[in-house]
Every structure is written in structure tokens, then in C-alpha cells.
Amino acid sequence: MDKNETMDRKTRILDAAEQVFGNSGFDGASLRQIVQAARVNLATVYYYFESKEHLLEEVFKRRLGPVKEEQLASLRQVERRGLKGMAAVEKILEAMLFPALRLTASADLKRSIPTKLIGRVVADPNPRFQELIRSQHDEVRHAFIAALQRRLPKCSIADLAWRMELVWGALAFLMCNPDRVKRAADGEGHSVGARMALAQMTAFFSTGLCAPAAKRNPPAR
Amino acid sequence: MDKNETMDRKTRILDAAEQVFGNSGFDGASLRQIVQAARVNLATVYYYFESKEHLLEEVFKRRLGPVKEEQLASLRQVERRGLKGMAAVEKILEAMLFPALRLTASADLKRSIPTKLIGRVVADPNPRFQELIRSQHDEVRHAFIAALQRRLPKCSIADLAWRMELVWGALAFLMCNPDRVKRAADGEGHSVGARMALAQMTAFFSTGLCAPAAKRNPPAR
DNA sequence: GTCTATAAGGAGATAGAC
DNA sequence: GTCTATCTCCTTATAGAC
């Protein structure tokens, strides 16, 4: 798990890049910082990855890929149990949130938060990064919206899409900087793990998902 | 409203910086891009602002300051009307969300989105930026949580703080990149304004805020 | 207040030895 | 595969003339 010499250079570069990109952002990070942390030569990055941008993509997919698989697998498991109504909605939300929250709460080596980079990329309006997000996230989005729609037939697809977009927004916000959550935590400043965040989000959002439709033309204020 | 020669240089720099910082981020933006867009000399930036970092702070506060004032003023107005229950919760949420959403939906000059920069700063875990957010946001947070607490006495402060953190997360996510919202829009790809986003968020979150408390120790999965 | 010129350094990327 | 050395360009920031 630690970055000793026994790990191959490619993995060391990916680990270091994840940390440096997460802390400093794509433009704020330099390859020289990354190769120093990975204890490899600058040219090694260009041997394994063809550019700084490709390196970022590899780091990103390496983290998000397994999350995506776990979300979809958990969703399939919920479907098999044949739950109905509110209980199903809660379990579907958990299937989506937990894999991401567990990763957010797990600080590798105490100082690196694996999801910081994901949160940053989500917040970047650069079309290049938006496409990267989209390529990883579209399948998950469609699967979860479809699953929810079957349990909430009275809620239109458009309303569900809106609401899930808001849920993903809140999740991305937590992934950027888990400290914000710890501050809210339990009101006494105690540290908080993925399970606490999961319970809070599930209670809040599952009830909201069952809310009546938004008015099409809200009255002027 | 447009950046012609009649505006003073300081304002032109702030306008240009907002756009360039929003599109490229703090590190991705260069002062040379900004001075070119503002049609001023590079040294002018250092005359009016002492560094790139101070320029960012000024841009940030110029935008967020008025939003904060409007949120607090709207909240006071809701308080004076003496609403109770769910209706009060909805109006409090609207008082918080609308000033930010209106700004998000208003694309100055078609290509600049004033809130892009705010969203970026929120997503940046750099302590320097987190402190900037905190300095502007703390007063608003406390005021709104207190107002909600009076209407939702059964909801603990800790739960309310969690839920509002999630609402702010979702809001920040929209501010980063309003295109994401337009895609969800009305299911037919129609463009969407601040009122639509307001109606969707209010319906979703006001119901969620009235949800029962999250379980302290959720069962293992 | 506004300008030119420049200091001083860091960036991504590559050529070519080993 | 890994290294050194370097190319080329761009960055923030400042000194000092006008």
C-alpha cells in the first residue's frame, strides 16, 4: 500500500499524480512535483504516459472505474431483492452513494484523499474534463434513474433527472473536500466516516425523491 | 455593461479576471490573458491589485458580497411575514437559493458565467481558498440554519447542518457549470432559467429537510 | 497612472546516450 | 527502460522612464 521501491514505476507515478493533482489541480500541479513524489525521472512519465493530460486521464479512470463497477453491482443486487416503495429508494441511493463515500472517507497515507481529484474535475467547466466525466458517468446515471423511475412512477423522468443531478452535485462537493463534512459532523467536532455521511444523505435525499413534482411555472416572487 | 473604454481600468480588469479565472481556474489563468481581455498593460494589474492572488480575492468578493446581502435581506423579509411550517421552510430555501441561481443563469455577454469562479473556488481544497469561502459564507450559514431550526424544532442542529451542507454542495455544483442543468432541463432539451432550477430545488430540498432524523448507527450492509 | 523592458525562474516536452 | 541535458516558451513580478 505504501509507495516503496517494490511497486513498479507506473503505479508509483499514478499514486503520486493522484495526490499532487488532487491537492493542486491540473494546472497547479507540475510534473516535476509528481516525479519527485514518485521518485522517478521526469522522462519516465513520458515513457509510460504520453503527456500530462493523458496522465490525468489515467489517474481519473483508475479511481472512478472501480467505483462505477461497484455502484452498478450494488444496484443489480438491490434489483434482485425485489424491494418496493421507500425501502427500495433508500437502498438504491445507498448503492450509488456508498462506494463513493467510502473512498472519500479513506485517506490513503493520512494526507491523500483519493476523491479530491474527482471532485476537482467535476467542478471544472473545461469541455475536455466534462467529456471525461461524461464518459465515465453516463452509464451510471441512466441505470440509477431508470431504477428509481420504476419505484416512483408518479415522478416524471425530467424531475427525477433534476433531483439526481442535485444528489450528484452534493456528492461531488463532499468528494472535493471531506473536511467540510467533518465540520458539520455530529455537532461536537467528532470525526465522521462514510457510514455517517451515508445515513445523513440517504435520510435527506430519499424523502426528497418522493416529494411532489416541482411546479412548472412557479409564481413570481 | 460592456467592457468599453468608458469603464475605468480597475473595473475592466475585474471583469476580465472574472471571466478568465472562471474559464481556466486560478492556476490555469495567466495575467497576460487577463490584461489582454481588459485591454490594459500588465503593470496596471500590479498598480491596482498587489498580486494575482489579491486580484482573485477582489473578484470573488465583488460577486459574492451582493449575493450574501440579498440572501440575508430576503431571509429577514421571510421572517417578518411570520410563516410557519412547510411554507416557511420553502420560502427560507428560496431566499437562499434564488440570488445565487439568478446569477448562475445570467450569462454576461453570452460567454461568461459569473458564478463559474465561485464554484471553482468552492471545489478547491486549498486552505487559502477555503478560508476565503468561509469568510464570506459563515454568516449566511448560521443565519439560515438558525431560521430553519425555529421552524423544524424536531430536527437537531447537527442534522440540519448536514442537510444544509448538502444543499450548498448541490448549489455550488450548479454554479460551476450551468450546462449540466440545462441538459437535465425539461426532458426535451429546452433551455432553463433560474426559476426552473429554483422550483426543482425547493420541491426536492424542502421535503427532504422535513425528513425524519438519520439513524446514528446505521446497520452494516 | 501608465508604460517599456527585463529580471528570475518554472513549465511541458524531447533527443539521444546508456 | 531509464537517464542527463537541454530546447523553447511562458509565468509572476518589478524597476524605472514618462
Side-chain angles (χ1 to χ4, degrees), chain B residues 30-32 46 52:
Chain B
S30 75
L31 290 177
R32 284 174 161 85
Y46 292 93
K52 185 183 180 183

Side-chain angles (χ1 to χ4, degrees), chain A residues 86 89-90 93 152 201-211, chain B residues 204 211:
Chain A
M86 188 72 160
V89 171
E90 283 182 11
L93 268 178
L152 298 167
M201 293 182 86
T202 305
F204 185 36
F205 292 135
S206 65
T207 306
L209 283 171
C210 300
Chain B
F204 184 37

Side-chain angles (χ1 to χ4, degrees), chain B:
Chain B
M1 194 59 81
D2 53 355
K3 276 177 266 181
N4 57 32
E5 291 292 344
T6 65
M7 291 169 60
D8 65 8
R9 286 168 145 76
K10 188 171 178 179
T11 306
R12 290 216 305 272
I13 292 170
L14 286 168
D15 287 348
E18 179 169 81
Q19 183 167 337
V20 177
F21 280 143
N23 285 328
S24 307
F26 180 72
D27 291 305
S30 75
L31 290 177
R32 284 174 161 85
Q33 280 179 279
I34 292 170
V35 299
Q36 189 178 12
R39 300 186 319 286
V40 299
N41 188 277
L42 175 62
T44 313
V45 172
Y46 292 93
Y47 176 77
Y48 285 108
F49 310 92
E50 68 181 60
S51 69
K52 185 183 180 183
E53 186 163 343
H54 277 77
L55 172 59
L56 178 89
E57 286 179 20
E58 294 293 314
V59 173
F60 187 82
K61 289 178 185 167
R62 183 182 69 149
R63 273 297 174 200
L64 210 54
V67 172
K68 184 174 71 171
E69 296 308 321
E70 191 182 342
Q71 288 170 323
L72 293 173
S74 295
L75 179 61
R76 283 192 295 270
Q77 203 179 334
V78 173
E79 300 278 22
R80 276 198 297 274
R81 290 170 60 189
L83 297 172
K84 290 186 180 175
M86 187 75 158
V89 172
E90 283 182 12
K91 290 299 173 192
I92 291 170
L93 268 177
E94 287 182 6
M96 200 190 77
L97 297 173
F98 187 66
L101 289 174
R102 198 188 38 191
L103 196 58
T104 305
S106 81
D108 278 358
L109 304 171
K110 284 195 172 45
R111 61 211 177 103
S112 160
I113 291 157
T115 57
K116 264 189 191 175
L117 172 62
I118 298 175
R120 272 185 184 277
V121 174
V122 170
D124 198 318
N126 185 320
R128 191 179 60 194
F129 293 153
Q130 288 306 304
E131 171 59 27
L132 187 57
I133 294 280
R134 214 190 49 71
S135 73
Q136 298 296 301
H137 189 54
D138 264 9
E139 187 184 356
V140 174
R141 179 168 59 235
H142 289 128
F144 277 87
I145 289 179
L148 284 169
Q149 228 272 316
R150 286 193 289 275
R151 271 74 177 192
L152 298 166
K154 280 184 287 191
C155 191
S156 74
I157 284 276
D159 284 351
L160 261 183
W162 256 96
R163 291 172 187 185
M164 289 309 285
E165 204 73 8
L166 297 172
V167 173
W168 281 307
L171 178 62
F173 176 77
L174 297 189
M175 293 171 86
C176 289
N177 188 357
D179 286 345
R180 256 187 298 253
V181 184
K182 289 177 185 164
R183 205 177 46 210
D186 58 1
E188 291 160 359
H190 292 151
S191 173
V192 66
R195 305 229 77 95
M196 171 80 165
L198 183 71
Q200 286 288 351
M201 294 181 85
T202 306
F204 184 37
F205 291 135
S206 64
T207 305
L209 282 171
C210 300
K215 290 185 275 287
R216 283 272 143 188
N217 291 308
R221 286 149 50 94

Side-chain angles (χ1 to χ4, degrees), chain A residues 9 32 41 43-44 47-48:
Chain A
R9 286 167 144 79
R32 286 173 166 83
N41 188 278
T44 313
Y47 176 77
Y48 287 108

Side-chain angles (χ1 to χ4, degrees), chain A:
Chain A
M1 192 59 80
D2 54 355
K3 277 177 265 183
N4 57 33
E5 291 292 343
T6 64
M7 292 168 63
D8 65 8
R9 286 167 144 79
K10 189 170 178 180
T11 306
R12 290 216 306 270
I13 292 171
L14 286 168
D15 287 347
E18 178 168 81
Q19 182 167 339
V20 177
F21 279 142
N23 285 329
S24 306
F26 180 73
D27 292 305
S30 75
L31 290 178
R32 286 173 166 83
Q33 279 179 279
I34 292 170
V35 300
Q36 190 178 10
R39 300 186 321 285
V40 300
N41 188 278
L42 176 60
T44 313
V45 172
Y46 291 93
Y47 176 77
Y48 287 108
F49 310 92
E50 68 181 61
S51 69
K52 185 183 181 185
E53 188 163 341
H54 278 78
L55 173 59
L56 178 89
E57 286 178 20
E58 294 293 314
V59 173
F60 187 82
K61 289 177 185 168
R62 184 183 67 148
R63 274 296 175 200
L64 210 53
V67 172
K68 186 175 69 170
E69 296 309 321
E70 191 182 342
Q71 288 170 324
L72 293 173
S74 295
L75 179 62
R76 283 192 296 270
Q77 202 178 335
V78 173
E79 300 279 21
R80 275 198 298 274
R81 291 170 58 189
L83 297 172
K84 290 186 181 179
M86 188 72 160
V89 171
E90 283 182 11
K91 290 300 173 192
I92 291 170
L93 268 178
E94 287 182 7
M96 199 191 76
L97 297 173
F98 187 66
L101 289 173
R102 198 189 37 192
L103 196 58
T104 305
S106 80
D108 279 359
L109 303 171
K110 285 195 171 47
R111 60 213 176 102
S112 161
I113 292 157
T115 57
K116 264 189 190 174
L117 171 62
I118 298 175
R120 272 186 185 276
V121 174
V122 170
D124 198 317
N126 185 320
R128 190 178 61 193
F129 293 154
Q130 288 306 303
E131 171 59 25
L132 187 57
I133 295 280
R134 213 190 50 68
S135 73
Q136 297 296 301
H137 189 52
D138 264 8
E139 186 184 356
V140 173
R141 179 168 59 236
H142 289 129
F144 277 86
I145 290 179
L148 285 170
Q149 228 271 316
R150 286 193 288 276
R151 271 75 178 192
L152 298 167
K154 281 184 287 194
C155 192
S156 74
I157 284 275
D159 284 352
L160 261 185
W162 256 96
R163 290 172 188 184
M164 288 309 284
E165 203 73 8
L166 296 172
V167 173
W168 281 307
L171 177 62
F173 177 77
L174 297 190
M175 293 171 86
C176 289
N177 189 356
D179 286 346
R180 256 188 299 254
V181 184
K182 289 177 185 164
R183 205 177 45 211
D186 56 3
E188 291 160 1
H190 294 151
S191 174
V192 67
R195 303 230 78 95
M196 172 78 166
L198 182 71
Q200 286 288 352
M201 293 182 86
T202 305
F204 185 36
F205 292 135
S206 65
T207 306
L209 283 171
C210 300
K215 290 184 275 284
R216 284 270 145 190
N217 292 305
R221 285 148 50 98

